[in-house]
Amino acid sequence: GEEFSAFVLCDGENFQIIGYAQDHKRVYDGDQGPNTGGMGCVSNPLIVNKSIKYQVLSIMQKTMDGLRKEGRSYSGILYLGGMVVRGEAYVIEFNARWGDPEAEVILPGIQTDYLDIVVAVRSQSLKSIKVICDKKVRISIAGCSKGYPGDYSEVKGKEVFGLIKAMQLPAITIFGAGIKRKEKRLFVNGGRVFHLVAEGKDILEARKKAYAAMEQINIEGDNLHYRRDIGWRDMERLKK
Ligand code: GLY
């Protein structure tokens, strides 16, 4: 099947699905190599069509009802890890947290004041607000140390170049991860060093911007690794 994830706000009683994403877990292009924490993702992916959205809604309703019956009503963000097999949505797992790099493509699209959302979740009044999200497509690419998710110790401490310049490009946001700042310079301090997020009216625009911005960045000694095919499934779907 094909993986997707749904992000759901819950207040113990009611819920609202605020977005969908598709992560790319393998380290190399073509979904090859070992699993990672996530090499990049797309929001909202085309695999999540009307029928899948409807199925997720029904799964979530059953989940909330089940939790309540068991006396474990849940409030906060729920991450539904799902899989689509021949048009049917299945649950792989639930995480009681945001995803990473999924949060980076979903949170920027939320137009409603985040404090109002948190207050509604905490006070069990999610029904009284409608969380508005924009319609933009976002794509994130994880900038990694060469060697990740294996041994990247030789890359640790090396300087990261071009990040500040890339951040200033239109429609680009960069989130630091395994990175350390010393005065105005940036250094590697982890496997996934940063997540670059680009937004656009569709996947084509977002992807073009994301990869143009990635071109500006490197790690000393040519030690930057990132996938060059994030969003490939949606690109293939557009060709059909
Ligand atoms: N990106 C996968 C996760 O956060 O679990």
Side-chain angles (χ1 to χ4, degrees):
E2 196 174 319
E3 275 191 63
F4 73 96
S5 44
F7 292 85
V8 191
L9 289 167
C10 309
D11 71 357
E13 194 64 37
N14 296 294
F15 68 90
Q16 279 187 49
I17 301 171
I18 53 169
Y20 303 88
Q22 186 165 53
D23 197 1
H24 296 59
K25 298 249 171 54
R26 304 285 181 151
V27 71
Y28 301 125
D29 288 5
D31 294 328
Q32 301 296 310
N35 253 340
T36 68
M39 294 297 290
C41 66
V42 176
S43 174
N44 289 294
L46 297 173
I47 184 77
V48 183
N49 57 22
K50 251 190 179 158
S51 157
I52 300 298
K53 281 184 188 165
Y54 184 76
Q55 293 178 52
V56 170
L57 206 60
S58 149
I59 291 169
M60 273 313 303
Q61 191 58 61
K62 286 183 201 161
T63 303
M64 292 299 278
D65 293 347
L67 284 168
R68 218 176 13 244
K69 265 190 212 148
E70 288 181 9
R72 308 165 190 261
S73 60
Y74 176 76
S75 59
I77 186 85
L78 202 59
Y79 161 158
L80 181 161
M83 186 168 278
V84 177
V85 185
R86 290 184 284 276
E88 301 281 325
Y90 293 87
V91 176
I92 305 173
E93 60 176 6
F94 279 110
N95 293 300
R97 59 168 173 83
W98 281 100
D100 179 31
E102 292 91 334
E104 287 90 332
V105 287
I106 292 182
L107 282 167
I110 299 177
Q111 306 292 292
T112 310
D113 191 316
Y114 200 66
L115 184 60
D116 291 344
I117 298 175
V118 172
V119 169
V121 164
R122 298 287 297 161
S123 60
Q124 217 172 67
S125 55
L126 201 51
K127 226 176 178 173
S128 67
I129 62 162
K130 167 96 188 87
V131 178
I132 309 284
C133 297
D134 67 16
K135 300 265 180 276
K136 288 183 183 159
V137 169
R138 290 186 174 78
I139 180 165
S140 81
I141 304 169
C144 303
S145 304
K146 263 190 191 158
Y148 172 81
D151 180 18
Y152 58 85
S153 51
E154 285 192 5
V155 186
K156 221 167 165 187
K158 295 215 183 280
E159 189 160 2
V160 184
F161 301 116
L163 212 66
I164 307 288
K165 211 169 132 200
M167 257 160 110
Q168 285 154 2
L169 294 169
I172 300 293
T173 310
I174 294 176
F175 297 94
I179 203 159
K180 208 175 192 167
R181 190 159 73 180
K182 280 192 213 144
E183 289 159 12
K184 289 193 172 161
R185 294 165 67 192
L186 300 167
F187 298 88
V188 170
N189 194 32
R192 287 187 298 171
V193 182
F194 62 89
H195 295 284
L196 181 143
V197 177
E199 58 186 43
K201 62 179 185 310
D202 54 29
I203 178 99
L204 296 171
E205 190 182 272
R207 206 170 188 254
K208 202 167 157 193
K209 285 180 181 163
Y211 281 107
M214 280 308 273
E215 293 279 311
Q216 310 278 326
I217 307 168
N218 210 339
I219 293 173
E220 188 183 342
D222 201 18
N223 273 305
L224 175 67
H225 167 69
Y226 60 94
R227 274 183 63 163
R228 263 110 176 136
D229 66 345
I230 302 298
W232 70 269
R233 288 180 189 273
D234 280 359
M235 297 300 285
E236 290 292 311
R237 257 180 217 110
L238 289 179
K239 282 190 206 152
K240 285 179 189 158

